[in-house]
Amino acid sequence: MRDDPGNRPPTAMELQNMLAEGQTTSVQLVEDALSRAKASEDLGIFVSLREDSAIKEAQASDRVRSEKKARSRLEGIPVAIKDNIAIAGEPLSCGSKILDGYSSPFSSTAVERLRAFGAIPIGATNMDEFAMGSSTEHSIHGSTLNPWQKDRVPGGSSGGSAAAVAAGVVPIALGSDTGGSIRQPASFCGVVGMKPTYGRISRWGLVAFASSLDQIGPIAHTAEDCALVLDCIGGSDSRDSTCLPSGSTDCYGVLNAGLENLVIGLPKEYFQSTGVDAAVLEKVYAAVKHLEESGAELREISLPHTEYAVSTYYLVATAEASSNLARYDGARYGKRSDAARSLVGMYEGSRSEGFGEEVKRRILLGTYVLSAGYYDAYYRKAQKVRTLLRRDFEEAFLECDVIATPTCPEVAFPLGSKLDPLAMYLSDVFTVSANLVGVPGVSLPCGFKEGLPIGLQLLGQAGDDAMPLRIAHEYQKATNFHCAVPPGMAP
Amino acid sequence: MNTQRIFSDYEVVIGLEVHVHLDTEAKLFTSCPVSYGAEPNTRVSEVCLALPGTLPVISERAVDRAVRAALVTQCKVHPISVFARKHYFYPDLPKGYQISQFEEPLATGGYIEISDPEDASRHLRIGLTRIHIEEDAGKSIHDPALAGSEVTLIDLNRAGVPLIEIVSEPDLRSPEEAVTYLRTLHRILRYVDVSNVDMEKGQFRCDANISLRPHGEVRFGTRTELKNLNSFRSVQSALHAEIIRQAELLEDGGEVVQATMGYDADRDRVFVMRLKENADDYRYFPDPDLIPLRLSPARIDEIRNSLPELPSGRRDRFCNLFGLSTYDAEVITSSRPLADFFEDVLAIGGETADFAKTVSNWIQRDVLGALRDRDLDIETSSLTPEALVNLLRMVEVRRVTVKSARDLICELVVSGGNPEDLVEQRGLEAVSDASILDTVIQEVLSENPDAISSYRSGEEKSLNFLMGQVMRKTKGKAEASAVRTFLIEKLKVGPT
């Protein structure tokens, strides 16, 4: 079925071949991407575009290609960057009013490496404020719409990046994933999204939400493109103490190793959990069946502490967020309240006016979690549960090579439909564990329900980022769910 | 209330928290340089400013310095310690939290020995609760002259400078012990290059916890904390003032309330800064941006092996090897460069007890004074060990007089040089030649008949007067014992 890519916009690999064969230029690709970005303005994908600088960089890339040779398979490829990943000299707002007018004087390691390998960031994509949310509705820049159905959310918080790829603006985008913020929007938008092993990609230049959970990762049409990006931006960084040492980051090289002798674990707690859409379950079952038919073995496994994952996640994430967001005080950069007449007034005014409701809610929760007298009951206990969850996964991986689950219990929900924060939090049930235990996770499209994409999640062992990509790649070689195009998006 | 009565009624209990800037070129969590006195906000990186997306990375040099401090104070250095975030809002704290260590500090359970201020021959062992690593905050400047009364200026040059906090047990029983402890700690830390401990630059700062209890009482009294005592003198006076304040409260049947206190040196008064009942909740938790600090036994040993000999060990060695008095050895080992100088002199001039004693005397009596008068120390002076040996040898063989040698030391510390050459150039060879002295003595005696007669009538003092006159005429070059012998002979002989 791969023989028929339909109207799907080309992948980075395909664009690279066209560039290599002289069928197009980087300048052409960047100009096209910029014009598509502008043509799809109604989707609210981008919060800023680097029009002049992206074209200049494309010219330089074309020169490098003609005078020397391509620096990597990403040479000259336009990419989009989530608005919480710093690009030197560009606005960095994290969807928040409190960073109004702020530009980062330095680049994130991920962007630095992308550029060193020749990729060209064309702009910053919309997101839930400070990456807190699952719908990209909580942004000072407004909501991003799902390209498949414009009354639906694209997921979040990396909704802008997932929509940018789904709408064919760019073949590759970077997102960040703290509890599912890459995988869930990838699932909702019918693209591939990956959260690598914690520590695989340097967090230098990623605006912190919850430091022990945050990871940058790629969003693309294919697992193959994700592997390219991961190999390019992963690896140790002296500016991030939590970054893993460089090592076996060659994901691209092992993509075609096949499915023979692989065991795919199906955690019963995920498949038996209530509130999972029947259509989602059906398509995910069908996908794993397909993998079985292609040579893998299916095995039911257990992750017994799963029911505590969401609560644990919201204790750890809010605690860390309350601390990480303390720096936005109006003193040095970003918004300072005009009404302030005293020091405390400056703090109160700037933070009250600068942060949105969801961010305030989480700062309050996190402050509570860390307070004297509550720390042991909440934060310390959450860390203990985290250890139990980690043990669950270690034991599960004694029995299987990869764990398959739905990415989300449902397909993209209508804009404005989840007003109850708790309902929003509970929709993270399948994604948060990977962040709590640090393992890599990939979401890839595996079917549709009433025209809306469904995601299959593959979780690998910590450090083995190649395995879930490799399985996703095999699946994509044999299926064409990733080749479908949102209505009206045909080029 | 007089302090003597207070001390007879109450036992004073003091524990000190000392903040010490580590001697490093870079800040604790970024390579941004540390410098004192630079233009405000010119020694700041994106990390110091807490820009979004920045992360801390620990400075290994700072860890080394901190471990040194722990080892020289006999603390147990933990193989794993954890950085924690301490939260509070203040404009000179850019992240909204300070990175410190809380539940799992670098080191615990050490001690230092200090000499008992009441009896220098006795030593007191002062326990150390813990040593932890943390970063300094910036400075807030509330100076109406600079900024107007409505404005506070922020200087973040100091933000992120590496510190250790050294917390003592409540083992100190008087302000004098507290100051002796601080001086000892100050000396040790400089000795092993942990810090430059310059108090004027805020590199060595002290907070004091103090309480009173009746003698014999086991439980501690309610304590107060005196903040920001930045000189030895202010530690002593602030503690005295607070002891009197607490004692008066207790005497009047009142209670000491837990509080953070400040000290106004100009008025010699302590004042309440804030009460502890609304105690701050710092919401400590392990910093997720930093992995636990791991120190292998091999690394700790390596740091231990790089430590110089400690002042106390060196002092004992000088006493045992050269028979110096404890006091003399204490002075000689008060700074590492001085002790090094002393050892270098002995290495050149001979490691005998006699010579050691001579050198020790000359250093204490003449060299240190000469340095002090010129605001120098042994490191910045031009006096070399070779020069001192050379000079002392000339004194020994009476080629120069003690007087001339002293004058020469004053010159040598400033401009250096070879004493032999200087003696020759200046014509400072001692005069003991009878024929030359004879002329001068004759002159003096003929000019001072009164002195002669008073000497003869039994006034020994007159001899000293006459000697002085001879010395003056020879510009100090006359060898004193020779002058004395000749003078006495002349005076015996009869009227001149």
Side-chain angles (χ1 to χ4, degrees), chain B residues 414-441:
Chain B
V414 177
S415 35
N418 178 349
E420 299 235 18
D421 296 346
L422 289 173
V423 165
E424 212 160 292
Q425 284 162 21
R426 309 268 194 288
L428 291 176
E429 298 272 356
V431 181
S432 55
D433 185 336
S435 62
I436 300 170
L437 283 180
D438 197 50
T439 322
V440 181
I441 289 172

mmCIF file of all heavy atoms in Angstrom, chain B residues 414-441:
data_model
loop_
_atom_site.group_PDB
_atom_site.id
_atom_site.type_symbol
_atom_site.label_atom_id
_atom_site.label_comp_id
_atom_site.label_asym_id
_atom_site.label_seq_id
_atom_site.Cartn_x
_atom_site.Cartn_y
_atom_site.Cartn_z
ATOM 1 N N VAL B 414 60.661 45.998 51.333
ATOM 2 C CA VAL B 414 60.088 46.851 50.291
ATOM 3 C C VAL B 414 60.804 46.653 48.965
ATOM 4 O O VAL B 414 60.183 46.390 47.945
ATOM 5 C CB VAL B 414 60.167 48.343 50.683
ATOM 6 C CG1 VAL B 414 59.634 49.214 49.558
ATOM 7 C CG2 VAL B 414 59.403 48.571 51.972
ATOM 8 N N SER B 415 62.155 46.721 48.989
ATOM 9 C CA SER B 415 62.820 46.738 47.691
ATOM 10 C C SER B 415 63.724 45.539 47.462
ATOM 11 O O SER B 415 64.341 45.443 46.400
ATOM 12 C CB SER B 415 63.587 48.051 47.498
ATOM 13 O OG SER B 415 64.118 48.479 48.716
ATOM 14 N N GLY B 416 63.832 44.642 48.429
ATOM 15 C CA GLY B 416 64.607 43.431 48.224
ATOM 16 C C GLY B 416 66.090 43.724 48.111
ATOM 17 O O GLY B 416 66.567 44.782 48.530
ATOM 18 N N GLY B 417 66.849 42.800 47.525
ATOM 19 C CA GLY B 417 68.279 43.005 47.336
ATOM 20 C C GLY B 417 69.100 42.049 48.182
ATOM 21 O O GLY B 417 68.563 41.290 48.988
ATOM 22 N N ASN B 418 70.390 42.106 47.931
ATOM 23 C CA ASN B 418 71.317 41.228 48.623
ATOM 24 C C ASN B 418 71.904 41.977 49.815
ATOM 25 O O ASN B 418 72.559 43.005 49.651
ATOM 26 C CB ASN B 418 72.418 40.826 47.626
ATOM 27 C CG ASN B 418 73.456 39.939 48.268
ATOM 28 O OD1 ASN B 418 73.480 39.771 49.488
ATOM 29 N ND2 ASN B 418 74.308 39.373 47.439
ATOM 30 N N PRO B 419 71.720 41.474 51.032
ATOM 31 C CA PRO B 419 72.187 42.191 52.221
ATOM 32 C C PRO B 419 73.699 42.490 52.187
ATOM 33 O O PRO B 419 74.113 43.563 52.588
ATOM 34 C CB PRO B 419 71.851 41.227 53.360
ATOM 35 C CG PRO B 419 70.757 40.363 52.834
ATOM 36 C CD PRO B 419 70.962 40.262 51.371
ATOM 37 N N GLU B 420 74.486 41.558 51.642
ATOM 38 C CA GLU B 420 75.936 41.790 51.591
ATOM 39 C C GLU B 420 76.257 43.061 50.797
ATOM 40 O O GLU B 420 77.038 43.900 51.215
ATOM 41 C CB GLU B 420 76.622 40.607 50.892
ATOM 42 C CG GLU B 420 76.423 39.300 51.614
ATOM 43 C CD GLU B 420 77.752 38.637 51.938
ATOM 44 O OE1 GLU B 420 78.777 39.356 51.906
ATOM 45 O OE2 GLU B 420 77.740 37.433 52.247
ATOM 46 N N ASP B 421 75.609 43.139 49.624
ATOM 47 C CA ASP B 421 75.845 44.313 48.777
ATOM 48 C C ASP B 421 75.405 45.588 49.484
ATOM 49 O O ASP B 421 76.081 46.616 49.445
ATOM 50 C CB ASP B 421 75.064 44.192 47.468
ATOM 51 C CG ASP B 421 75.551 43.013 46.642
ATOM 52 O OD1 ASP B 421 76.641 42.483 46.978
ATOM 53 O OD2 ASP B 421 74.827 42.613 45.698
ATOM 54 N N LEU B 422 74.211 45.464 50.116
ATOM 55 C CA LEU B 422 73.672 46.652 50.772
ATOM 56 C C LEU B 422 74.600 47.126 51.881
ATOM 57 O O LEU B 422 74.851 48.313 52.047
ATOM 58 C CB LEU B 422 72.267 46.353 51.337
ATOM 59 C CG LEU B 422 71.176 46.185 50.280
ATOM 60 C CD1 LEU B 422 69.874 45.717 50.931
ATOM 61 C CD2 LEU B 422 70.946 47.498 49.531
ATOM 62 N N VAL B 423 75.129 46.180 52.655
ATOM 63 C CA VAL B 423 76.021 46.526 53.764
ATOM 64 C C VAL B 423 77.253 47.249 53.219
ATOM 65 O O VAL B 423 77.687 48.266 53.740
ATOM 66 C CB VAL B 423 76.416 45.253 54.553
ATOM 67 C CG1 VAL B 423 77.612 45.536 55.471
ATOM 68 C CG2 VAL B 423 75.224 44.751 55.346
ATOM 69 N N GLU B 424 77.745 46.709 52.105
ATOM 70 C CA GLU B 424 78.937 47.300 51.512
ATOM 71 C C GLU B 424 78.651 48.712 50.978
ATOM 72 O O GLU B 424 79.362 49.661 51.288
ATOM 73 C CB GLU B 424 79.405 46.413 50.360
ATOM 74 C CG GLU B 424 80.911 46.423 50.186
ATOM 75 C CD GLU B 424 81.346 45.188 49.408
ATOM 76 O OE1 GLU B 424 81.226 44.065 49.971
ATOM 77 O OE2 GLU B 424 81.736 45.347 48.238
ATOM 78 N N GLN B 425 77.553 48.805 50.201
ATOM 79 C CA GLN B 425 77.201 50.107 49.613
ATOM 80 C C GLN B 425 76.975 51.164 50.681
ATOM 81 O O GLN B 425 77.375 52.308 50.543
ATOM 82 C CB GLN B 425 75.910 49.987 48.791
ATOM 83 C CG GLN B 425 76.094 49.329 47.445
ATOM 84 C CD GLN B 425 74.767 48.844 46.893
ATOM 85 O OE1 GLN B 425 73.707 49.333 47.301
ATOM 86 N NE2 GLN B 425 74.816 47.884 45.981
ATOM 87 N N ARG B 426 76.292 50.756 51.725
ATOM 88 C CA ARG B 426 75.925 51.734 52.748
ATOM 89 C C ARG B 426 77.015 51.916 53.797
ATOM 90 O O ARG B 426 76.871 52.712 54.695
ATOM 91 C CB ARG B 426 74.651 51.294 53.486
ATOM 92 C CG ARG B 426 73.497 50.939 52.616
ATOM 93 C CD ARG B 426 72.611 52.154 52.379
ATOM 94 N NE ARG B 426 71.341 51.760 51.835
ATOM 95 C CZ ARG B 426 71.160 51.329 50.591
ATOM 96 N NH1 ARG B 426 72.208 51.230 49.769
ATOM 97 N NH2 ARG B 426 69.973 50.975 50.165
ATOM 98 N N GLY B 427 78.082 51.106 53.696
ATOM 99 C CA GLY B 427 79.133 51.178 54.699
ATOM 100 C C GLY B 427 78.626 50.825 56.074
ATOM 101 O O GLY B 427 78.840 51.552 57.049
ATOM 102 N N LEU B 428 77.904 49.728 56.163
ATOM 103 C CA LEU B 428 77.269 49.394 57.434
ATOM 104 C C LEU B 428 78.050 48.375 58.243
ATOM 105 O O LEU B 428 77.563 47.861 59.234
ATOM 106 C CB LEU B 428 75.856 48.846 57.167
ATOM 107 C CG LEU B 428 74.843 49.861 56.637
ATOM 108 C CD1 LEU B 428 73.533 49.165 56.316
ATOM 109 C CD2 LEU B 428 74.627 50.977 57.657
ATOM 110 N N GLU B 429 79.261 48.050 57.756
ATOM 111 C CA GLU B 429 80.070 47.097 58.506
ATOM 112 C C GLU B 429 80.155 47.531 59.963
ATOM 113 O O GLU B 429 80.415 48.696 60.255
ATOM 114 C CB GLU B 429 81.492 47.048 57.928
ATOM 115 C CG GLU B 429 81.573 46.591 56.490
ATOM 116 C CD GLU B 429 81.681 45.075 56.353
ATOM 117 O OE1 GLU B 429 81.777 44.391 57.402
ATOM 118 O OE2 GLU B 429 81.643 44.575 55.202
ATOM 119 N N ALA B 430 79.957 46.609 60.860
ATOM 120 C CA ALA B 430 79.984 46.954 62.279
ATOM 121 C C ALA B 430 81.387 47.421 62.683
ATOM 122 O O ALA B 430 82.384 46.924 62.182
ATOM 123 C CB ALA B 430 79.573 45.746 63.107
ATOM 124 N N VAL B 431 81.412 48.386 63.554
ATOM 125 C CA VAL B 431 82.704 48.882 64.019
ATOM 126 C C VAL B 431 82.982 48.307 65.395
ATOM 127 O O VAL B 431 82.284 48.585 66.356
ATOM 128 C CB VAL B 431 82.670 50.423 64.105
ATOM 129 C CG1 VAL B 431 84.015 50.938 64.560
ATOM 130 C CG2 VAL B 431 82.269 51.006 62.771
ATOM 131 N N SER B 432 84.067 47.471 65.492
ATOM 132 C CA SER B 432 84.441 46.982 66.811
ATOM 133 C C SER B 432 85.948 47.186 66.997
ATOM 134 O O SER B 432 86.529 46.842 67.984
ATOM 135 C CB SER B 432 84.058 45.500 66.958
ATOM 136 O OG SER B 432 84.647 44.784 65.899
ATOM 137 N N ASP B 433 86.509 47.790 65.975
ATOM 138 C CA ASP B 433 87.945 48.061 65.963
ATOM 139 C C ASP B 433 88.269 49.078 67.069
ATOM 140 O O ASP B 433 87.753 50.194 67.095
ATOM 141 C CB ASP B 433 88.282 48.636 64.573
ATOM 142 C CG ASP B 433 89.769 48.834 64.409
ATOM 143 O OD1 ASP B 433 90.436 48.981 65.457
ATOM 144 O OD2 ASP B 433 90.216 48.842 63.258
ATOM 145 N N ALA B 434 89.148 48.699 67.983
ATOM 146 C CA ALA B 434 89.425 49.514 69.159
ATOM 147 C C ALA B 434 89.924 50.914 68.791
ATOM 148 O O ALA B 434 89.507 51.905 69.389
ATOM 149 C CB ALA B 434 90.441 48.808 70.050
ATOM 150 N N SER B 435 90.760 50.987 67.756
ATOM 151 C CA SER B 435 91.343 52.292 67.444
ATOM 152 C C SER B 435 90.281 53.288 66.980
ATOM 153 O O SER B 435 90.312 54.459 67.345
ATOM 154 C CB SER B 435 92.439 52.130 66.384
ATOM 155 O OG SER B 435 91.842 51.625 65.200
ATOM 156 N N ILE B 436 89.309 52.773 66.152
ATOM 157 C CA ILE B 436 88.274 53.681 65.693
ATOM 158 C C ILE B 436 87.351 54.063 66.854
ATOM 159 O O ILE B 436 87.051 55.240 67.069
ATOM 160 C CB ILE B 436 87.439 53.030 64.569
ATOM 161 C CG1 ILE B 436 88.342 52.689 63.386
ATOM 162 C CG2 ILE B 436 86.293 53.958 64.135
ATOM 163 C CD1 ILE B 436 87.714 51.837 62.331
ATOM 164 N N LEU B 437 86.975 53.034 67.624
ATOM 165 C CA LEU B 437 86.067 53.290 68.740
ATOM 166 C C LEU B 437 86.697 54.236 69.753
ATOM 167 O O LEU B 437 86.026 55.096 70.315
ATOM 168 C CB LEU B 437 85.678 51.976 69.411
ATOM 169 C CG LEU B 437 84.622 51.142 68.664
ATOM 170 C CD1 LEU B 437 84.333 49.869 69.440
ATOM 171 C CD2 LEU B 437 83.348 51.952 68.473
ATOM 172 N N ASP B 438 87.987 54.062 69.973
ATOM 173 C CA ASP B 438 88.688 54.855 70.968
ATOM 174 C C ASP B 438 88.504 56.345 70.718
ATOM 175 O O ASP B 438 88.155 57.103 71.622
ATOM 176 C CB ASP B 438 90.185 54.494 70.932
ATOM 177 C CG ASP B 438 90.888 54.972 72.189
ATOM 178 O OD1 ASP B 438 90.351 54.655 73.284
ATOM 179 O OD2 ASP B 438 91.891 55.676 72.066
ATOM 180 N N THR B 439 88.650 56.758 69.487
ATOM 181 C CA THR B 439 88.498 58.155 69.122
ATOM 182 C C THR B 439 87.093 58.653 69.455
ATOM 183 O O THR B 439 86.924 59.711 70.066
ATOM 184 C CB THR B 439 88.723 58.339 67.598
ATOM 185 O OG1 THR B 439 89.770 57.468 67.194
ATOM 186 C CG2 THR B 439 89.002 59.773 67.273
ATOM 187 N N VAL B 440 86.091 57.841 69.041
ATOM 188 C CA VAL B 440 84.725 58.271 69.260
ATOM 189 C C VAL B 440 84.435 58.358 70.756
ATOM 190 O O VAL B 440 83.836 59.324 71.254
ATOM 191 C CB VAL B 440 83.733 57.301 68.601
ATOM 192 C CG1 VAL B 440 82.292 57.771 68.823
ATOM 193 C CG2 VAL B 440 84.023 57.158 67.121
ATOM 194 N N ILE B 441 84.892 57.354 71.507
ATOM 195 C CA ILE B 441 84.616 57.317 72.937
ATOM 196 C C ILE B 441 85.261 58.521 73.641
ATOM 197 O O ILE B 441 84.648 59.179 74.480
ATOM 198 C CB ILE B 441 85.091 55.981 73.547
ATOM 199 C CG1 ILE B 441 84.154 54.855 73.057
ATOM 200 C CG2 ILE B 441 85.101 56.040 75.080
ATOM 201 C CD1 ILE B 441 84.634 53.475 73.433
#
